Structure formats: C-alpha cells, structure tokens
Amino acid sequence: MDLRKQRPQVASSAFCHLYCEMVQYFQGRCEKMADLDTKLTELGVDVGLRLNELIAFRERTGKREVKLIAMLQHITTTVWRFLFGKTADLEK
C-alpha cells in the first residue's frame, strides 16, 4: 500500500458513526467520568500522532514546527485541508 497516493473520500456520517461507537465502547468499560475522559484523550493523542506522521510523510518537508504561530498555521492549512478538504476559516 502506497501512503503517498491520494486518499479516497469518506462520508462524514461514517466518521460520526465510528466516533459514537468508540465513545459507547469506552462508556461500557469505565465506571467514572474521569476514566472515560482519560481513555478518549489517550485515543485522541494516538490518532493525532499517527495522522501527524502520515501528513509529514506525504508532505516530505522534513521540517518540524517548534514555534506556536507556525504550529497553528500548519494545523489551519495542512492538517485541516487533509481532514476536511479546505483550509480553516478562522474569521468566524
């Protein structure tokens, strides 16, 4: 599987369904709300790291942003475009 190829479009309803299933899965296994929050946070960090690695591999910039403004610009342009097909509109 070539990771550099263009990815197919996936319906947002599929993402919503997957998210609901993940929340229900962890709700059934956690007794306290703090435990649920921790589990979902850990899952989000793992997904975010993998997404960041994939974007970095595809972009091949070889550059890691360390300044806050540069990081936010990277998120609003590259990451947002990867996830939603357009850059973020921050004026609203």
Side-chain angles (χ1 to χ4, degrees), residues 34-64:
D35 294 340
L36 176 62
D37 184 44
T38 303
K39 292 290 185 185
L40 291 175
T41 300
E42 289 171 357
L43 181 65
V45 167
D46 188 39
V47 170
L49 287 173
R50 290 172 188 249
L51 178 65
N52 193 32
E53 288 176 356
L54 179 62
I55 290 173
F57 178 75
R58 287 186 178 174
E59 293 291 318
R60 292 186 179 196
T61 57
K63 179 175 144 181
R64 181 175 165 180

Side-chain angles (χ1 to χ4, degrees), residues 48-49 51-83 86-88 90:
L49 287 173
L51 178 65
N52 193 32
E53 288 176 356
L54 179 62
I55 290 173
F57 178 75
R58 287 186 178 174
E59 293 291 318
R60 292 186 179 196
T61 57
K63 179 175 144 181
R64 181 175 165 180
E65 301 295 346
V66 293
K67 295 183 180 176
L68 180 62
I69 298 297
M71 283 185 226
L72 292 174
Q73 287 175 337
H74 174 72
I75 291 169
T76 58
T77 55
T78 307
V79 175
W80 210 263
R81 186 175 49 240
F82 182 84
L83 291 172
K86 59 182 180 178
T87 58
L90 300 177

Side-chain angles (χ1 to χ4, degrees), residues 1-40:
M1 179 178 183
D2 189 9
L3 296 175
R4 285 181 236 114
K5 289 184 178 179
Q6 186 67 17
R7 65 185 171 90
Q9 294 294 320
V10 178
S12 61
S13 61
F15 284 115
C16 290
H17 179 68
L18 180 61
Y19 179 73
C20 288
E21 288 295 320
M22 289 187 308
V23 171
Q24 287 178 358
Y25 174 82
F26 285 120
Q27 275 181 334
R29 285 156 180 76
C30 296
E31 294 180 10
K32 298 178 183 176
M33 190 61 135
D35 294 340
L36 176 62
D37 184 44
T38 303
K39 292 290 185 185
L40 291 175

